[in-house]
Amino acid sequence: MNKTAIITGGGRGIGWAITEKLAQDGYDTAVLGSSDPARYSKTIEQLEKYGIKYKYYKCDIGNRESRETTIRAVVRDFGGIHVLVNNAGVAPEKRMDLLEMTEESYDRVVSINAKGTLFFTQAVARQMCTQEIIGSKRGTIINISSCSAEVVSRSRGEYCISKAGISMITKLFAERLAGDGILVHEVRPGIISTDMTSAVKDKYDRLIREGCFPIARWGKPEDVANAVSALAGDGFLYTTGNYIDIDGGYHIKTL
Ligand SMILES: NC(=O)c1ccc[n+]([C@@H]2O[C@H](COP(=O)([O-])OP(=O)(O)OC[C@H]3O[C@@H](n4cnc5c(N)ncnc54)[C@H](OP(=O)(O)O)[C@@H]3O)[C@@H](O)[C@H]2O)c1
């Protein structure tokens, strides 16, 4: 029997690259997104070639009922959950200086990125704890945070706060679940070419030209997916609550 992976926000961008990579690795995949299924029907048909089971679920991770209904449906359809990739996330609709940031934008971004991730993880972890250990672990949870967990962007403070929250969510669940055989990791992407960054393409093109990133190119969704694939497998069994920067070396401080 294949292991099952859930990928939130798995229908496009970084999430789609993760979905495809995990399907390639042989996981059955439950692909979640906030959009109606019609939007992704053609996309997920591409998983057919990997010979695994797959299904798309509409799920708003910021909504309790939606989370619970979806997780029940995934367990019913697939029999269990072995890998959770918390990838879904939003940027502020409008970038605004910290002194202008609104409570509405803060509530939207934090309630999807941090609160949604927290309670989605809680519900999946409860499910994982009821399952058998397969091989060397019961489950793996991988959180896609951002370099913004660490780096200040004064025009999207609410996003930075939400991603710093995901780093703490990673450590909290890692410590809580280690004894249950569930490992929790965090992946911090830098600047990755997706819909999310399309609105600020010129700015990042310029920063790349100016040498801001030691590896001087845009990150690709596949760069993140390859890290997730490695962490989901059996190569990292004596570490939990860690993070890996997939950012072209952007995190290195220089003088
Ligand atoms: N792109 C970057 O440079 C970058 C850098 C660092 C971190 N990240 C993080 O990586 C993750 C993926 O980013 P991306 O660039 O691939 O973003 P994206 O292209 O904008 O895709 C975001 C995904 O999240 C889903 N989503 C948004 N709100 C949701 C909700 N309430 N419930 C469920 N799903 C929801 C979307 O679903 P629908 O498709 O249905 O709309 C979509 O699949 C995000 O957490 C982002 O913060 C991105």
Side-chain angles (χ1 to χ4, degrees), residues 9 14 28 36 46 79 89-90 95 115 152 192 195 204 225 244:
I14 293 171
D28 291 336
D36 288 329
Q46 296 175 58
V90 291
R95 292 187 175 209
K115 186 178 146 203
V152 165
I192 312 293
D195 294 343
Y204 293 137
I244 177 165

Side-chain angles (χ1 to χ4, degrees), residues 34-219:
S34 60
S35 305
D36 288 329
R39 178 172 181 190
Y40 290 116
S41 56
K42 282 268 177 304
T43 308
I44 71 158
E45 270 173 28
Q46 296 175 58
L47 299 174
E48 193 67 37
K49 61 176 174 285
Y50 300 112
I52 48 96
K53 184 171 166 179
Y54 59 89
K55 187 168 175 180
Y56 177 85
Y57 302 81
K58 178 176 175 173
C59 173
D60 175 0
I61 63 157
N63 177 285
R64 178 170 33 184
E65 203 186 324
S66 182
R67 285 192 301 267
E68 289 176 355
T69 310
T70 306
I71 291 165
R72 267 199 307 275
V74 172
V75 173
R76 184 193 61 221
D77 296 342
F78 289 84
I81 301 168
H82 307 95
V83 174
L84 164 63
V85 185
N86 283 309
N87 164 77
V90 291
E93 280 169 348
K94 194 170 167 211
R95 292 187 175 209
M96 294 175 93
D97 183 83
L98 194 56
L99 301 187
E100 310 299 329
M101 182 178 81
T102 64
E103 280 191 50
E104 289 72 20
S105 180
Y106 178 91
D107 286 345
R108 171 178 168 271
V109 171
V110 172
S111 108
I112 294 173
N113 293 2
K115 186 178 146 203
T117 297
L118 167 63
F119 286 103
F120 200 89
T121 302
Q122 183 195 61
V124 171
R126 284 180 182 151
Q127 166 60 31
M128 282 180 173
C129 284
T130 69
Q131 299 174 189
E132 297 295 309
I133 289 189
I134 302 179
S136 22
K137 54 184 167 177
R138 206 182 298 275
T140 314
I141 297 170
I142 301 166
N143 298 324
I144 309 300
S145 63
S146 169
C147 59
S148 301
E150 189 76 33
V151 176
V152 165
S153 291
R154 61 164 74 165
S155 64
R156 49 189 181 122
E158 62 276 62
Y159 183 79
C160 300
I161 291 167
S162 74
K163 293 299 184 176
I166 290 180
S167 295
M168 182 48 76
I169 290 168
T170 302
K171 287 185 278 192
L172 281 164
F173 280 98
E175 193 278 332
R176 172 63 183 81
L177 297 173
D180 296 292
I182 299 168
L183 302 182
V184 187
H185 310 287
E186 176 186 346
V187 174
R188 291 187 182 169
I191 304 307
I192 312 293
S193 180
T194 67
D195 294 343
M196 188 177 275
T197 43
S198 59
V200 280
K201 184 174 178 310
D202 291 348
K203 174 183 170 182
Y204 293 137
D205 280 344
R206 179 174 52 76
L207 291 175
I208 291 168
R209 274 197 311 275
E210 289 172 356
C212 192
F213 304 92
I215 301 175
R217 66 162 172 85
W218 278 84

Side-chain angles (χ1 to χ4, degrees), residues 25 35 79-80 114 196 243 245 254:
D25 291 346
S35 305
M196 188 177 275
Y243 66 86
D245 294 294
T254 55

